[in-house]
Short mmCIF file of all heavy atoms in Angstrom, two decimals:
data_model
loop_
_atom_site.label_atom_id
_atom_site.label_comp_id
_atom_site.label_asym_id
_atom_site.label_seq_id
_atom_site.Cartn_x
_atom_site.Cartn_y
_atom_site.Cartn_z
N ALA N 127 110.58 107.73 92.52
CA ALA N 127 110.30 107.77 91.07
C ALA N 127 111.03 108.85 90.41
O ALA N 127 111.35 109.93 91.00
CB ALA N 127 108.79 107.93 90.88
N TYR N 128 111.44 108.64 89.10
CA TYR N 128 112.26 109.65 88.44
C TYR N 128 111.75 109.79 87.03
O TYR N 128 111.24 108.86 86.42
CB TYR N 128 113.73 109.19 88.26
CG TYR N 128 114.40 109.10 89.70
CD1 TYR N 128 114.34 107.82 90.35
CD2 TYR N 128 114.99 110.13 90.26
CE1 TYR N 128 114.98 107.76 91.60
CE2 TYR N 128 115.62 109.95 91.53
CZ TYR N 128 115.56 108.79 92.17
OH TYR N 128 116.16 108.75 93.39
N ALA N 129 111.83 111.01 86.53
CA ALA N 129 111.64 111.19 85.09
C ALA N 129 112.73 110.49 84.28
O ALA N 129 113.81 110.38 84.77
CB ALA N 129 111.69 112.68 84.73
N ASP N 130 112.41 110.08 83.06
CA ASP N 130 113.35 109.33 82.25
C ASP N 130 114.53 110.09 81.98
O ASP N 130 115.65 109.65 81.90
CB ASP N 130 112.71 108.93 80.97
CG ASP N 130 111.65 107.81 81.11
OD1 ASP N 130 111.68 107.08 82.17
OD2 ASP N 130 110.86 107.58 80.13
N SER N 131 114.42 111.45 81.90
CA SER N 131 115.55 112.38 81.56
C SER N 131 116.57 112.42 82.64
O SER N 131 117.70 112.82 82.34
CB SER N 131 115.04 113.71 81.24
OG SER N 131 114.30 114.34 82.27
N VAL N 132 116.20 112.02 83.88
CA VAL N 132 117.16 112.10 84.95
C VAL N 132 117.54 110.83 85.54
O VAL N 132 118.45 110.75 86.49
CB VAL N 132 116.80 113.10 86.06
CG1 VAL N 132 116.39 114.48 85.38
CG2 VAL N 132 115.60 112.46 86.79
N LYS N 133 116.96 109.73 85.16
CA LYS N 133 117.33 108.46 85.75
C LYS N 133 118.73 108.06 85.64
O LYS N 133 119.34 108.27 84.60
CB LYS N 133 116.46 107.24 85.13
CG LYS N 133 115.02 107.27 85.49
CD LYS N 133 114.30 106.16 84.82
CE LYS N 133 112.79 106.08 85.20
NZ LYS N 133 112.03 105.02 84.53
N GLY N 134 119.34 107.63 86.68
CA GLY N 134 120.74 107.23 86.73
C GLY N 134 121.68 108.39 87.04
O GLY N 134 122.83 108.18 87.29
N ARG N 135 121.13 109.59 87.06
CA ARG N 135 121.99 110.81 87.29
C ARG N 135 121.50 111.55 88.61
O ARG N 135 122.38 112.09 89.37
CB ARG N 135 121.85 111.87 86.14
CG ARG N 135 122.40 111.25 84.96
CD ARG N 135 122.52 112.33 83.79
NE ARG N 135 121.22 112.94 83.45
CZ ARG N 135 120.91 114.24 83.68
NH1 ARG N 135 121.80 115.02 84.09
NH2 ARG N 135 119.70 114.63 83.28
N PHE N 136 120.18 111.46 88.91
CA PHE N 136 119.72 112.22 90.15
C PHE N 136 119.26 111.19 91.18
O PHE N 136 118.77 109.99 90.79
CB PHE N 136 118.54 113.05 89.77
CG PHE N 136 118.74 114.21 88.92
CD1 PHE N 136 120.05 114.46 88.42
CD2 PHE N 136 117.75 115.20 88.65
CE1 PHE N 136 120.33 115.56 87.54
CE2 PHE N 136 118.05 116.28 87.86
CZ PHE N 136 119.27 116.56 87.34
N THR N 137 119.43 111.50 92.43
CA THR N 137 118.96 110.58 93.50
C THR N 137 118.20 111.48 94.52
O THR N 137 118.75 112.48 94.98
CB THR N 137 120.11 109.99 94.24
OG1 THR N 137 120.82 109.11 93.27
CG2 THR N 137 119.56 109.10 95.32
N VAL N 138 116.89 111.11 94.79
CA VAL N 138 116.09 111.85 95.70
C VAL N 138 116.16 111.17 97.11
O VAL N 138 116.15 109.83 97.12
CB VAL N 138 114.59 112.07 95.34
CG1 VAL N 138 113.93 110.76 95.10
CG2 VAL N 138 113.87 112.96 96.20
N SER N 139 116.21 111.80 98.22
CA SER N 139 116.19 111.28 99.54
C SER N 139 115.45 112.11 100.50
O SER N 139 115.14 113.32 100.14
CB SER N 139 117.60 110.95 99.96
OG SER N 139 118.32 112.12 100.10
N ARG N 140 115.18 111.68 101.62
CA ARG N 140 114.56 112.54 102.63
C ARG N 140 114.96 112.17 104.13
O ARG N 140 115.34 110.91 104.29
CB ARG N 140 112.96 112.52 102.56
CG ARG N 140 112.42 111.13 102.98
CD ARG N 140 110.86 111.07 102.64
NE ARG N 140 110.13 112.11 103.39
CZ ARG N 140 108.86 112.43 103.05
NH1 ARG N 140 108.26 111.85 102.06
NH2 ARG N 140 108.27 113.29 103.89
N ASP N 141 115.00 113.08 105.03
CA ASP N 141 115.39 112.87 106.38
C ASP N 141 114.19 113.41 107.21
O ASP N 141 114.09 114.60 107.38
CB ASP N 141 116.69 113.56 106.71
CG ASP N 141 117.07 113.27 108.12
OD1 ASP N 141 116.33 112.74 108.88
OD2 ASP N 141 118.26 113.61 108.45
N ASN N 142 113.32 112.47 107.69
CA ASN N 142 112.12 112.92 108.29
C ASN N 142 112.46 113.39 109.79
O ASN N 142 111.60 114.15 110.39
CB ASN N 142 111.12 111.74 108.39
CG ASN N 142 110.53 111.48 107.14
OD1 ASN N 142 110.54 112.36 106.18
ND2 ASN N 142 109.99 110.33 107.01
N THR N 143 113.59 113.10 110.21
CA THR N 143 114.01 113.79 111.60
C THR N 143 114.32 115.22 111.48
O THR N 143 114.37 115.91 112.49
CB THR N 143 115.21 113.02 112.20
OG1 THR N 143 116.37 113.25 111.43
CG2 THR N 143 114.90 111.50 112.23
N LYS N 144 114.64 115.65 110.25
CA LYS N 144 115.00 117.05 110.04
C LYS N 144 114.00 117.78 109.14
O LYS N 144 114.26 118.98 108.75
CB LYS N 144 116.44 117.18 109.53
CG LYS N 144 117.48 116.59 110.43
CD LYS N 144 118.86 116.67 109.76
CE LYS N 144 119.96 116.19 110.70
NZ LYS N 144 121.25 116.30 110.14
N ASN N 145 113.00 117.07 108.75
CA ASN N 145 112.01 117.61 107.83
C ASN N 145 112.60 118.16 106.54
O ASN N 145 112.38 119.32 106.06
CB ASN N 145 111.20 118.81 108.48
CG ASN N 145 110.24 118.34 109.54
OD1 ASN N 145 110.11 117.13 109.75
ND2 ASN N 145 109.54 119.26 110.28
N THR N 146 113.50 117.42 106.02
CA THR N 146 114.17 117.79 104.76
C THR N 146 114.13 116.75 103.70
O THR N 146 113.98 115.53 103.94
CB THR N 146 115.68 118.05 104.99
OG1 THR N 146 116.30 116.94 105.59
CG2 THR N 146 115.91 119.24 105.96
N MET N 147 114.13 117.29 102.40
CA MET N 147 114.28 116.42 101.24
C MET N 147 115.46 116.92 100.39
O MET N 147 115.74 118.08 100.41
CB MET N 147 112.93 116.42 100.42
CG MET N 147 113.04 115.63 99.14
SD MET N 147 111.49 115.74 98.12
CE MET N 147 111.41 117.38 97.77
N HIS N 148 116.12 116.03 99.78
CA HIS N 148 117.36 116.35 98.97
C HIS N 148 117.19 115.78 97.62
O HIS N 148 116.55 114.73 97.32
CB HIS N 148 118.51 115.85 99.67
CG HIS N 148 118.66 116.29 101.16
ND1 HIS N 148 119.07 117.57 101.52
CD2 HIS N 148 118.33 115.60 102.33
CE1 HIS N 148 118.98 117.65 102.86
NE2 HIS N 148 118.59 116.58 103.26
N LEU N 149 117.97 116.42 96.74
CA LEU N 149 118.15 115.88 95.33
C LEU N 149 119.58 115.99 94.99
O LEU N 149 120.12 117.11 94.72
CB LEU N 149 117.24 116.75 94.34
CG LEU N 149 117.28 116.19 92.89
CD1 LEU N 149 116.50 114.84 92.78
CD2 LEU N 149 116.61 117.18 92.02
N GLU N 150 120.25 114.88 94.87
CA GLU N 150 121.63 114.75 94.47
C GLU N 150 121.60 114.71 92.89
O GLU N 150 121.06 113.83 92.30
CB GLU N 150 122.33 113.56 95.00
CG GLU N 150 122.52 113.59 96.50
CD GLU N 150 123.69 114.37 96.90
OE1 GLU N 150 124.46 114.89 96.07
OE2 GLU N 150 123.90 114.56 98.17
N MET N 151 122.23 115.74 92.27
CA MET N 151 122.26 115.91 90.81
C MET N 151 123.70 115.66 90.30
O MET N 151 124.60 116.50 90.64
CB MET N 151 121.75 117.27 90.49
CG MET N 151 120.40 117.60 91.08
SD MET N 151 119.94 119.36 90.95
CE MET N 151 119.68 119.51 89.19
N ASN N 152 123.87 114.61 89.58
CA ASN N 152 125.17 114.37 88.96
C ASN N 152 125.16 114.32 87.46
O ASN N 152 124.09 114.26 86.89
CB ASN N 152 125.66 113.03 89.45
CG ASN N 152 125.83 112.90 90.97
OD1 ASN N 152 126.38 113.80 91.64
ND2 ASN N 152 125.21 111.87 91.59
N ALA N 153 126.29 114.50 86.87
CA ALA N 153 126.47 114.54 85.40
C ALA N 153 125.46 115.42 84.77
O ALA N 153 124.76 115.14 83.86
CB ALA N 153 126.26 113.13 84.86
N LEU N 154 125.47 116.75 85.24
CA LEU N 154 124.52 117.65 84.85
C LEU N 154 124.71 118.11 83.41
O LEU N 154 125.88 118.17 82.93
CB LEU N 154 124.51 118.87 85.85
CG LEU N 154 123.93 118.75 87.18
CD1 LEU N 154 124.35 119.70 88.15
CD2 LEU N 154 122.42 118.75 86.98
N GLU N 155 123.62 118.31 82.69
CA GLU N 155 123.60 118.71 81.31
C GLU N 155 122.93 120.07 81.20
O GLU N 155 122.18 120.50 81.98
CB GLU N 155 122.83 117.62 80.53
CG GLU N 155 123.33 116.23 80.69
CD GLU N 155 122.36 115.23 80.20
OE1 GLU N 155 121.22 115.53 79.76
OE2 GLU N 155 122.76 113.95 80.16
N PRO N 156 123.31 120.78 80.05
CA PRO N 156 122.68 122.02 79.82
C PRO N 156 121.12 121.97 79.83
O PRO N 156 120.45 122.99 80.25
CB PRO N 156 123.07 122.40 78.50
CG PRO N 156 124.48 121.80 78.34
CD PRO N 156 124.37 120.45 79.02
N ASN N 157 120.47 120.90 79.44
CA ASN N 157 119.03 120.71 79.37
C ASN N 157 118.53 120.59 80.82
O ASN N 157 117.31 120.75 81.08
CB ASN N 157 118.55 119.49 78.59
CG ASN N 157 118.66 119.76 77.10
OD1 ASN N 157 118.77 120.93 76.72
ND2 ASN N 157 118.59 118.68 76.36
#
């Protein structure tokens, strides 16, 4: 799920074998 303000720009993922979660942030804006 994503906030409307970041849809299409951010991607969340997780790797349960490494106990990690990630957030790919693209087309970043000052806000």
Side-chain angles (χ1 to χ4, degrees):
Y128 298 92
D130 288 343
S131 59
V132 306
K133 284 181 179 178
R135 299 189 298 119
F136 292 8
T137 302
V138 63
S139 62
R140 66 191 296 167
D141 184 348
N142 287 342
T143 68
K144 298 180 178 179
N145 289 357
T146 56
M147 177 179 64
H148 306 280
L149 186 68
E150 295 281 353
M151 308 166 67
N152 300 309
L154 284 162
E155 304 168 354
N157 285 345

